């Protein structure tokens, strides 16, 4: 009797121990998901996922420490050359065109490709009123000159096409790199496409929206015979530039004459 009881106890203990040690899922608890942290679902890739295998972006060429040779920085005559960048813009470009027409002078317009595509009538007016055209890249890419040569060429060609969609056979004399961040490779491409690299000598930084009187002061102080002056008729609020030009155009015309670079 006693030994039987002991046997039953031992048997029960054995069963209990085996039952506990049995591998397998613990009984599911109410309210907790079946996958407990103790038994994580097998991961398809236990190691950290490898980075996406998209081809790496082509490295940008370093920007040279000094400007490349051959940039046009003077007008080539005694006259001062006004250049207007980042248009055409439906608000500002007509205003500056009106001012130039009233003063009987011409200037150079450095056009962004996307803007030319959007406003072909303004491109046509610029040409019709005797101004020069300058390619200013497709979308104002500050790093364009540092990209692969084929990419530079495609950008410049695309921009010229947009300009010539507005004005077939338009003469595009110049190319100007956005921000003046030139590379020698880019100068070469521009020349191969029949455009000369147009830089500047006077930069009143009108893109930074200084008051008109500051723009006037800066241009007046820096202008010399043959200066190329950089200003903007697009890319932002240009009312200060427009106001400055109302004084600058007659002043510069009287002192030096105004004409596009040669
Ligand atoms: Zn620009």
């Amino acid at each position: 009797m006693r030994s039987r009881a002991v046997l039953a106890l031992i048997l029960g203990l054995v069963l209990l121990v085996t039952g506990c040690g049995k591998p397998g899922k613990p009984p599911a608890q109410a309210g907790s998901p079946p996958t407990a942290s103790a038994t994580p679902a097998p991961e398809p890739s236990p190691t950290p996922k490898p980075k996406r295998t998209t081809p790496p972006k082509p490295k940008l060429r370093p920007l040279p420490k000094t400007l490349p040779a051959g940039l046009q920085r003077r007008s080539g005559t005694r006259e001062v050359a006004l250049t207007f960048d980042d248009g055409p813009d439906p608000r500002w470009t007509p205003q500056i065109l009106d001012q130039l027409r009233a003063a009987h002078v011409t200037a150079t317009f450095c056009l962004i490709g996307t803007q030319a595509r959007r406003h072909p009538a303004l491109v046509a007016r610029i040409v019709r009123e005797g101004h020069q055209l300058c390619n200013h890249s497709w979308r104002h890419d500050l790093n364009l000159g540092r990209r692969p040569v084929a990419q530079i060429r495609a950008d410049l060609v695309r921009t010229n096409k947009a300009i010539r969609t507005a004005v077939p056979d338009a003469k595009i004399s110049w190319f100007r790199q956005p921000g003046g961040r030139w590379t020698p490779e880019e100068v070469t491409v521009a020349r191969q496409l029949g455009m000369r690299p147009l830089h500047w000598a006077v930069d009143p930084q009108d893109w930074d929206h200084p008051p008109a009187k500051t723009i006037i002061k800066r241009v007046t102080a820096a202008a010399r015979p043959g200066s190329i002056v950089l200003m903007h008729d697009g890319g932002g609020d240009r009312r200060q530039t427009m106001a400055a030009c109302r004084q600058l155009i007659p002043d510069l015309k009287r002192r030096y004459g105004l004409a596009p670079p040669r």
Side-chain angles (χ1 to χ4, degrees), residues 99-115:
Q99 290 194 39
L100 293 165
R101 186 166 60 184
H104 304 286
V105 294
T106 54
T108 306
F109 287 82
C110 297
L111 307 182
I112 295 174
T114 54
Q115 291 294 108

Side-chain angles (χ1 to χ4, degrees), residues 6-19:
V6 169
L7 188 65
L9 185 67
I10 290 170
L11 191 65
L13 277 171
V14 166
L15 280 172
L16 190 68
V17 167
T18 346

Side-chain angles (χ1 to χ4, degrees), residues 10-246:
I10 290 170
L11 191 65
L13 277 171
V14 166
L15 280 172
L16 190 68
V17 167
T18 346
C20 280
K22 211 175 179 180
K25 286 183 181 179
Q29 283 180 337
S32 74
T35 51
S37 60
T39 55
E43 284 279 337
S45 54
T47 48
K49 281 185 181 173
K51 297 273 179 225
R52 288 189 62 207
T53 51
T54 44
K57 281 188 176 177
K59 261 192 169 175
L60 296 175
R61 256 191 306 282
L63 201 62
K65 297 250 187 300
T66 54
L67 289 172
L71 302 183
Q72 179 109 9
R73 304 164 86 158
R74 326 262 330 150
S75 72
T77 64
R78 189 193 140 73
E79 292 155 317
V80 164
L82 296 180
T83 63
F84 296 96
D85 286 19
D86 300 356
D89 182 284
R91 176 153 187 204
W92 311 111
T93 305
Q95 291 187 32
I96 200 65
L97 285 169
D98 288 349
Q99 290 194 39
L100 293 165
R101 186 166 60 184
H104 304 286
V105 294
T106 54
T108 306
F109 287 82
C110 297
L111 307 182
I112 295 174
T114 54
Q115 291 294 108
R117 181 173 63 177
R118 216 170 285 151
H119 307 292
L122 284 176
V123 180
R125 183 177 165 193
I126 289 168
V127 173
R128 196 168 59 239
E129 300 190 357
H131 304 288
Q132 282 190 349
L133 293 181
C134 170
N135 177 326
H136 196 38
S137 86
W138 178 250
R139 53 176 183 88
H140 210 263
D141 180 0
L142 289 171
N143 284 321
L144 182 60
R146 304 172 61 195
R147 300 193 190 282
V149 164
Q151 208 171 323
I152 299 175
R153 185 186 309 276
D155 185 294
L156 271 53
V157 166
R158 188 181 189 192
T159 304
N160 282 353
K161 270 188 186 154
I163 293 171
R164 292 197 172 115
T165 298
V167 182
D169 308 321
K171 181 169 169 51
I172 305 164
S173 308
W174 307 98
F175 170 73
R176 176 178 277 168
Q177 160 61 33
R181 291 156 62 93
W182 297 93
T183 62
E185 291 83 357
E186 185 175 48
V187 171
T188 302
V189 171
R191 286 194 188 282
Q192 286 168 348
L193 295 171
M195 297 179 286
R196 291 155 68 197
L198 181 62
H199 199 64
W200 60 82
V202 176
D203 175 10
Q205 306 204 314
D206 66 326
W207 50 267
D208 199 24
H209 312 104
K213 64 176 190 327
T214 304
I215 299 174
I216 293 166
K217 210 188 317 177
R218 288 173 180 169
V219 172
T220 305
R224 303 281 179 275
S227 290
I228 295 175
V229 182
L230 167 64
M231 286 192 281
H232 294 81
D233 68 331
D237 187 329
R238 300 296 170 225
R239 75 186 73 194
Q240 300 302 326
T241 303
M242 298 299 127
C245 280
R246 269 181 259 287

